[in-house]
Amino acid sequence: MAEIIDGKKISAEIREELKVKVLELQNKYGDVPGLAVVLVGDDPASAVYVRMKGKGCEEIGIRSFQYILPETTTEDELMALIDELNKDSKVSGILVQLPLPKHISEKAIINAIDPIKDVDGFHPINVGKVVADEDDCFYPCTPLGCQILINRYVKNLKGKHLVVVGRSSIVGKPVANMMMQKNDRANCIVTVCHTAAPDISLYTRQADILVVAAGRANTVTGNMVKDGVVVIDVGVNRIADPSDPSKTIIVGDVDFKSVEPKASAITPVPGGVGPMTIAMLLSNTVRAFELQRKK
Ligand code: NAP
């Protein structure tokens, strides 16, 4: 039986630590970190994420600024807001909730955020610093959450074979870049596979640690992993509930039922990687506040 990697519990511990840190910063600087979250349009899922981020800030004493803009907002108007937030010393971190409406270029908006306030870690400067092994950057939230979970469950990562399924810029690629870095949090041998592979099990079966970010339920099943693997399931998929098709349930990308008996540790979905993502956003915001004072 695998150990269940409890992302909910670990993220709660991290939030408690951050709460203490924010108080220390308040005492030292007479000010607290601030996070600006920008939402354009009325996508209900995005609205829920934005609310959760605001609540997460309030719980640990970070100042939260929320900008809910109409779907008709132009790219120029959004650029003007980003420019304002870049200059505002009360704003330590800026997060633009993706996806943006089609008439706004996500690339242009991300590139306009000051890299030292880019707490999502998507600006090319921060992406490049991760690749170049420079530490004064922001690691993107979900990959950073995965790395922390891996570090809690695998001691001595040096030389472990970590296989990533998926190569998106948000999850797969940054996880790979982070986990191959030469430091104690990583130092893995990394393989990345994706849809160009005729059979991903050739790779997944070799994994000591398997990170799955494919966005499809049942991408990895029990016959595709070796005994003792540590599994980090990033996927979030809403499917019909097999026991009551009139309802839906959330599952990951990994078939938990067949993989769990072979794994030494595995994240559940929900309750694994998901809760870590917001905790990492809060952590990056605190880090932004500190980096801006070291400049
Ligand atoms: P994405 O942009 O759709 O990328 C999926 C990647 O997986 C692509 O590289 C794709 O390959 C690959 N892929 C898809 N099906 C595959 C298969 N059958 N075999 C091998 N590779 C396959 O998705 P994403 O943004 O990385 O997100 C992945 C999942 O994580 C989604 O379910 C998303 O909802 C979830 N997610 C969760 C969190 C969280 O906080 N928990 C955060 C972010 C994302 P190609 O490049 O060849 O198309």
Side-chain angles (χ1 to χ4, degrees):
M1 277 249 297
E3 213 174 331
I4 303 300
I5 302 177
D6 191 344
K8 220 168 159 183
K9 179 165 164 267
I10 296 168
S11 76
E13 287 165 11
I14 292 170
R15 285 172 198 236
E16 279 309 310
E17 286 163 18
L18 287 171
K19 207 173 185 175
V20 174
K21 178 94 190 165
V22 170
L23 266 178
E24 283 170 12
L25 293 174
Q26 163 90 67
N27 289 337
K28 187 168 174 190
Y29 296 104
D31 199 4
V32 293
L35 174 66
V37 179
V38 182
L39 171 65
V40 185
D42 43 22
D43 176 59
S46 294
V48 171
Y49 289 135
V50 168
R51 272 202 300 279
M52 280 163 66
K53 286 164 187 173
K55 193 164 163 264
C57 284
E58 280 157 25
E59 277 168 9
I60 67 158
I62 290 180
R63 203 178 285 123
S64 162
F65 306 94
Q66 303 223 332
Y67 296 84
I68 316 289
L69 309 178
E71 180 87 18
T72 50
T73 305
T74 65
E75 188 170 307
D76 284 350
E77 284 166 341
L78 187 53
M79 281 288 188
L81 174 61
I82 300 294
D83 187 44
E84 207 181 286
L85 297 174
N86 280 339
K87 290 177 184 148
D88 187 342
S89 62
K90 293 277 177 213
V91 173
S92 323
I94 304 169
L95 181 144
V96 178
Q97 186 67 41
L98 301 178
L100 286 169
K102 297 229 167 347
H103 63 276
I104 301 178
S105 158
E106 289 186 357
K107 258 193 190 152
I109 296 299
I110 289 168
N111 290 0
I113 296 172
D114 185 337
I116 205 159
K117 296 192 174 186
D118 168 41
V119 285
D120 239 350
F122 294 159
H123 190 288
I125 294 268
N126 284 313
V127 175
K129 284 189 174 189
V130 174
V131 176
D133 251 315
E134 289 180 31
D135 208 29
D136 64 332
C137 63
F138 295 106
Y139 296 95
C141 302
T142 301
L144 184 56
C146 293
Q147 186 178 48
I148 288 181
L149 293 180
I150 292 167
N151 274 272
R152 294 263 179 140
Y153 283 81
V154 188
K155 296 301 157 206
N156 195 9
L157 282 165
K158 184 178 176 184
K160 293 275 188 315
H161 190 186
L162 182 140
V163 175
V164 187
V165 181
R167 57 174 159 183
S168 75
S169 305
I170 294 174
V171 191
K173 255 186 242 164
V175 165
N177 286 327
M178 288 163 68
M179 294 310 297
M180 75 170 89
Q181 284 188 332
K182 196 169 179 179
N183 60 44
D184 292 342
R185 306 183 301 274
N187 218 1
C188 290
I189 310 302
V190 174
T191 298
V192 181
C193 58
H194 40 75
T195 59
D199 178 5
I200 60 164
S201 74
L202 292 176
Y203 310 100
T204 57
R205 257 190 228 113
Q206 295 176 37
D208 300 314
I209 303 160
L210 182 61
V211 180
V212 189
R216 282 179 40 174
N218 295 324
T219 302
V220 174
T221 50
N223 60 336
M224 296 168 71
V225 299
K226 71 175 181 187
D227 285 333
V229 63
V230 172
V231 180
I232 306 293
D233 186 355
V234 186
V236 179
N237 306 291
R238 187 173 282 281
I239 61 160
D241 184 345
S243 59
D244 178 359
S246 69
K247 295 192 182 131
T248 58
I249 52 166
I250 299 284
V251 297
D253 291 345
V254 172
D255 175 34
F256 189 88
K257 207 168 155 215
S258 63
V259 172
E260 184 271 339
K262 294 181 84 175
S264 60
I266 185 167
T267 54
V269 178
V273 174
M276 294 298 288
T277 298
I278 292 189
M280 293 305 101
L281 173 66
L282 303 176
S283 172
N284 276 351
T285 305
V286 170
R287 185 167 152 72
F289 179 91
E290 289 181 295
L291 285 176
Q292 285 154 28
R293 271 144 195 87
K294 279 188 199 144
K295 261 206 315 186

